[in-house]
Amino acid sequence: MHKPRLQLQASFDIAHLQYLDNQGKAIQSLPEFATPDWLTHCYRQMQLARLVDDRAVKLQRTGRLGTYPSTLGQEAIGIATGNALAADDVYCPYYRETGALLERGVTIEEILAIWGGDERGQNFQHSPSDLPICIPIATQMLHAVGAAFALKQRHQQEGVPLQAAVASSGEGATSKGDFYEAMNLAGVWKLPVVFVVNNNQWAISVPRHGQTATQTIAQKAVAAGIPALQVDGNDVVAVAWAVQDALQRARNGDGPALIEAISYRLCDHTTADDASRYRSAEALQQAWQWEPIKRLDRYLREQGLWSDAKQQDLDRELATTMEMALGNWQTRTPEPVTAIFDHLYAQLPEGLYEQYDQLRDEQQQGAGA
Amino acid sequence: MGDQQNTITLVEAVTQALAFELKNNPEVVVFGQDVGANGGVFRATEGLQERFGAARVLDTPLAETMIAGVAVGMATQGLRPVAEFQFMGFIYPGLDHILSHATRMRNRTRGRLSCPVVYRAPYGGGIHAPEHHSESTEAIFAHIPGLRVVVPSSPARAYGLLLAAIRDPDPVLFLEPKRIYRAAKQPVPDDGEALPLDRAFVLREGCDLTLVAWGASVKETLEAAEQLSASGIEAEVIDPATLKPLDIHTIIDSLEKTRRCVVVHEAARFGGLGAEIAAQIQEYAFDLLEAPVQRVTGYDTVMPYYQLEGAYLPGVERILAGARTALEYSRCEPGSSISANALSGGEALP
């Protein structure tokens, strides 16, 4: 049988980055940014994210919060990403991002408001250019590309330093056209945008191998002609290095990048989900051995940077922070019902006056009844 | 483009409006498939890349979801993106971004971010194009809260309304009736004067019948009005122009005089804008009506390939038939209606 002679046209490699192994041992020297202060800050924020998640799930279970997507086990990715962003960068988060939002200065009250059914939570008073959390899958990646275009144009027209946009997603999102189209345009237009994929092995009930036949998620960037790196997503130092490096290149005008951060969703998809229906207790138990907080705890203690006394202080401090935020959230003034019209357009069109009045009157009659 | 009085076509008016805004607002960017060197498949962006540079007039890769989504990101960060979909029939991959994001960003963030994007698309039938190039699905979009749906029907309105759409702080779907892209010319001074959105235009005054039409159907509707006039029936012709939010007041004001109404659109009838207009008329002006509101529309079928599109599209004859039904209808004593009187004399309508 004839076998034609073929010539190799392209080939690719996907590298993997890890600093701290499963046991919290440094397998290579840490980058300069990983100072004791930085490490303990990340540790604190990861613990805070876990606490917020824990309280949010309990609030949902007791009927005081709506559906909530926990980040349990994936705290390193959010904290490292949020930490790497500069104030003027634009963050385009997906919905599972409690840690990253906290690092961006989004308040616990705002996070609780979002999942408590109050749009005011998306106000992000401390990061006003960031996009709100995005619930439709992968759409935020295109918004990040558009934001990156705007940042690049502002840089070129006004001479301000080039800033970057970052979009986050899960690995399920990489099956969508939006993901490919975003990477594709970002590559063609060489835009300052970084895509961070939290490969937590599960898109609700569908496991990683049910999403794609590719060996890695990272290699999907190869098709768009943009660089990619796979990192240990439970290693906060590795994620931080990857995001910082990609952001630096983006800000230097070298274009986009994709980061695949491998973790494991230790929680249900959301509080509306029961993961025991589709994954084994053994697999979950095994994944707990890789989780990011314990790993960093071991490293910090090994380095003499952490102790039981410090942990007790931190637990007290975080509990106080959480209780204050809960109190603020619970005593928040409710929005007037007419708020549903107030931000539909910049100015309410005349054709909607009648509906606006109807709603207001219904509310007033209800209050009077 | 144009002569000394700047007499131009509708598509040239689109180009003129884009150029005016590109020139006067550095935040405006124009992008889409083939809008650069090629000037767009209908030449709506002719010469713009040459004039304003490839950083502001950009060809995109071929992906409509991307075009819709990137515009959202741009708009949230202070730009005024004007995105072109090559044909309305290819807009649907982008619907997610229009419906789920562009129209919700202001509300979702309680006013923190906004989305002043214009999505342009040539729409409608009658140019003997392949499948998917001729649909009129404005009703799908008019159903979306937070969106504006604008359709010009003349060069002057294309210019003035597109300026207004680009300057508007909220998302606008700007549908360009490609059948009349080059059907007529009129003087359109390049003065940067926008026309008001959310306002209907009375194109012809009359006191016997109100005809409501937009886009390319305005042409046949005005022709029908002229034929009616020849037999003594004076029709008022109203172009809503902004289909959402709809200026029903101008239509109701007209019905105060005419008491009879026909709505004309190319789109399929079921759930079309004609249904919304008829519903609002009976809600607000039931007692004014001397006849049920008539809908003269495309059929509730798939838009046919071009051999049969002439049979699908509402032409002058179908509009006149709808007008006759509205004029001849009488719910009162015989003879109490002016039009019934006019008809009882055996006068032939055109």
Side-chain angles (χ1 to χ4, degrees):
Chain A
M1 194 163 66
H2 171 71
K3 271 187 88 175
R5 189 172 66 246
L6 305 175
Q7 290 162 340
L8 184 66
Q9 285 302 298
S11 60
F12 68 93
D13 298 301
I14 296 297
H16 181 91
L17 176 67
Q18 186 186 54
Y19 287 100
L20 303 179
D21 72 9
N22 288 339
Q23 302 306 309
K25 293 233 180 317
I27 62 163
Q28 57 177 314
S29 60
L30 267 47
E32 286 169 357
F33 67 78
T35 60
D37 280 353
W38 185 88
L39 288 163
T40 49
H41 167 81
C42 290
Y43 184 70
R44 176 197 187 275
Q45 291 296 90
M46 286 160 67
Q47 297 251 15
L48 178 60
R50 188 163 290 188
L51 179 63
V52 172
D53 279 344
D54 179 65
R55 292 306 302 269
V57 170
K58 288 191 172 103
L59 286 165
Q60 192 279 332
R61 298 294 186 224
T62 52
R64 287 176 286 171
L65 197 74
T67 299
Y68 182 82
S70 174
T71 64
L72 185 65
Q74 305 139 80
E75 295 89 349
I77 299 170
I79 296 302
T81 303
N83 186 268
L85 281 154
D88 293 340
D89 291 331
V90 176
Y91 185 46
C92 308
Y94 81 132
Y95 51 83
R96 192 185 307 285
E97 282 298 7
T98 299
L101 294 183
L102 290 170
E103 275 298 274
R104 290 299 279 166
V106 176
T107 63
I108 298 170
E109 290 91 326
E110 287 174 327
I111 293 170
L112 291 172
I114 294 171
W115 301 107
D118 181 346
E119 283 92 339
R120 289 176 299 177
Q122 301 268 32
N123 229 324
F124 294 1
Q125 50 187 311
H126 300 303
S127 54
S129 294
D130 285 359
L131 265 57
I133 62 154
C134 184
I135 292 181
I137 301 303
T139 50
Q140 72 281 2
M141 294 175 164
L142 284 166
H143 306 162
V145 172
F149 178 91
L151 294 170
K152 185 175 178 180
Q153 210 201 43
R154 195 176 304 154
H155 165 68
Q156 288 173 343
Q157 286 186 355
E158 299 169 22
V160 296
L162 184 58
Q163 297 299 135
V166 172
S168 68
S169 77
E171 86 284 356
T174 70
S175 298
K176 273 196 72 173
D178 294 63
F179 169 74
Y180 289 100
E181 293 183 23
M183 285 196 303
N184 189 53
L185 184 68
V188 174
W189 285 359
K190 211 174 180 187
L191 296 174
V193 58
V194 178
F195 307 102
V196 180
V197 176
N198 170 1
N199 177 0
N200 67 14
Q201 314 305 320
W202 294 95
I204 305 189
S205 66
V206 176
R208 153 72 177 82
H209 64 77
Q211 289 296 336
T212 175
T214 59
Q215 192 182 345
T216 66
I217 298 292
Q219 73 201 59
K220 294 188 175 195
V222 173
I226 70 177
L229 180 64
Q230 188 187 69
V231 301
D232 184 334
N234 292 341
D235 172 358
V236 72
V237 184
V239 181
W241 186 89
V243 180
Q244 287 184 24
D245 179 65
L247 278 172
Q248 199 49 53
R249 282 184 282 121
R251 295 190 195 110
N252 286 343
D254 295 333
L258 173 71
I259 296 163
E260 174 190 7
I262 296 178
S263 71
Y264 195 93
R265 198 191 76 209
L266 294 175
C267 49
D268 296 332
H269 162 65
T270 65
T271 50
D273 177 43
D274 174 8
S276 70
R277 292 170 58 86
Y278 51 80
R279 70 181 183 193
S280 71
E282 294 73 37
L284 183 61
Q285 204 173 4
Q286 190 182 26
W288 268 102
Q289 296 170 18
W290 310 324
E291 68 99 354
I293 294 182
K294 195 187 298 168
R295 180 185 309 204
L296 187 55
D297 179 80
R298 282 183 180 167
Y299 178 78
L300 291 175
R301 285 173 190 266
E302 189 75 22
Q303 299 295 308
L305 296 170
W306 206 248
S307 63
D308 288 347
K310 284 186 175 174
Q311 186 65 49
Q312 281 169 12
D313 287 349
L314 180 61
D315 287 345
R316 263 197 301 274
E317 182 216 326
L318 295 183
T320 306
T321 301
M322 188 72 219
E323 290 314 310
M324 275 183 59
L326 272 173
N328 292 338
W329 171 64
Q330 282 163 339
T331 54
R332 224 170 171 191
T333 313
E335 245 188 338
V337 292
T338 46
I340 68 173
F341 285 104
D342 289 341
H343 305 286
L344 189 59
Y345 297 92
Q347 196 169 12
L348 192 67
E350 276 179 39
L352 286 174
Y353 287 1
E354 187 183 317
Q355 292 183 31
Y356 182 96
D357 291 344
Q358 181 189 348
L359 175 65
R360 187 198 52 207
D361 294 347
E362 274 176 10
Q363 183 68 12
Q364 282 171 357
Q365 282 158 16
Chain B
M1 183 197 299
D3 53 20
Q4 276 187 333
Q5 286 156 352
N6 210 38
T7 303
I8 56 175
T9 62
L10 195 155
V11 69
E12 288 168 340
V14 168
T15 317
Q16 182 170 296
L18 292 172
F20 189 92
E21 287 303 282
L22 279 163
K23 186 177 171 203
N24 291 288
N25 186 349
E27 292 168 355
V28 172
V29 289
V30 170
F31 61 95
Q33 294 158 14
D34 306 301
V35 303
N38 193 40
V41 291
F42 287 100
R43 307 291 174 259
T45 55
E46 174 115 53
L48 295 181
Q49 190 178 64
E50 204 175 359
R51 276 182 75 186
F52 300 102
R56 297 184 65 208
V57 180
L58 302 99
D59 283 322
T60 64
L62 209 169
E64 288 84 3
T65 303
M66 176 273 290
I67 290 171
V70 162
V72 171
M74 290 175 178
T76 62
Q77 304 302 318
L79 294 182
R80 296 262 166 175
V82 183
E84 177 177 306
F85 293 101
Q86 208 153 67
F87 288 87
M88 191 184 202
F90 306 133
I91 209 170
Y92 311 114
L95 182 61
D96 190 15
H97 287 275
I98 299 171
L99 192 157
S100 303
H101 295 298
T103 54
R104 290 172 177 232
M105 200 56 80
R106 178 187 295 282
N107 179 67
R108 180 184 292 149
T109 60
R110 285 299 186 251
R112 176 169 64 88
L113 299 174
S114 61
C115 214
V117 51
V118 177
Y119 295 110
R120 294 178 41 241
Y123 99 120
I127 64 158
H128 287 209
E131 192 181 0
H132 308 294
H133 291 67
S134 302
E135 285 75 9
S136 298
T137 53
E138 64 268 30
I140 294 174
F141 295 89
H143 191 67
I144 301 173
L147 191 62
R148 275 192 167 76
V149 181
V150 178
V151 185
S153 63
S154 73
R157 282 188 292 281
Y159 179 74
L161 291 170
L162 184 53
L163 290 179
I166 298 171
R167 295 170 191 173
D168 191 80
D170 293 304
V172 177
L173 178 66
F174 193 82
L175 298 173
E176 297 164 9
K178 57 184 179 284
R179 183 156 60 86
I180 57 167
Y181 256 158
R182 295 178 173 82
K185 290 188 172 193
Q186 75 181 130
V188 184
D190 192 14
D191 54 11
E193 289 290 323
L195 286 167
L197 299 174
D198 308 352
R199 287 281 178 276
F201 296 86
V202 179
L203 304 184
R204 185 185 192 284
E205 294 195 4
C207 56
D208 298 326
L209 176 69
T210 301
L211 300 174
V212 180
W214 53 90
S217 293
V218 165
K219 185 167 173 283
E220 287 77 30
T221 304
L222 285 169
E223 284 171 28
E226 288 308 312
Q227 293 196 30
L228 287 168
S229 179
S231 58
I233 303 290
E234 293 304 331
E236 187 137 298
V237 176
I238 295 176
D239 174 8
T242 303
L243 302 181
K244 169 142 185 180
L246 180 70
D247 171 15
I248 196 69
H249 298 293
T250 298
I251 296 170
I252 302 289
D253 286 350
S254 177
L255 278 165
E256 299 265 4
K257 291 187 292 185
T258 66
R259 296 172 176 258
R260 293 164 197 272
C261 183
V262 178
V263 186
V264 182
H265 57 66
E266 277 189 30
R269 182 172 305 177
F270 188 92
L273 263 296
E276 177 63 31
I277 292 169
Q280 291 201 29
I281 288 172
Q282 62 85 22
E283 279 171 1
Y284 297 118
F286 184 70
D287 291 337
L288 289 178
L289 291 177
E290 292 287 350
V293 176
Q294 298 299 307
R295 288 181 289 167
V296 175
T297 68
Y299 294 104
D300 288 334
T301 66
V302 173
M303 180 77 196
Y305 282 21
Y306 72 81
Q307 290 287 343
L308 298 182
E309 73 176 341
Y312 175 92
L313 295 169
V316 175
E317 284 310 314
R318 203 183 297 166
I319 298 168
L320 287 172
R324 267 184 230 115
T325 306
L327 290 165
E328 288 167 5
Y329 185 89
S330 174
R331 65 181 170 91
C332 306
E333 302 279 317
S336 70
S337 152
I338 28 165
S339 43
N341 280 340
L343 291 168
S344 65
E347 264 185 62
L349 284 170

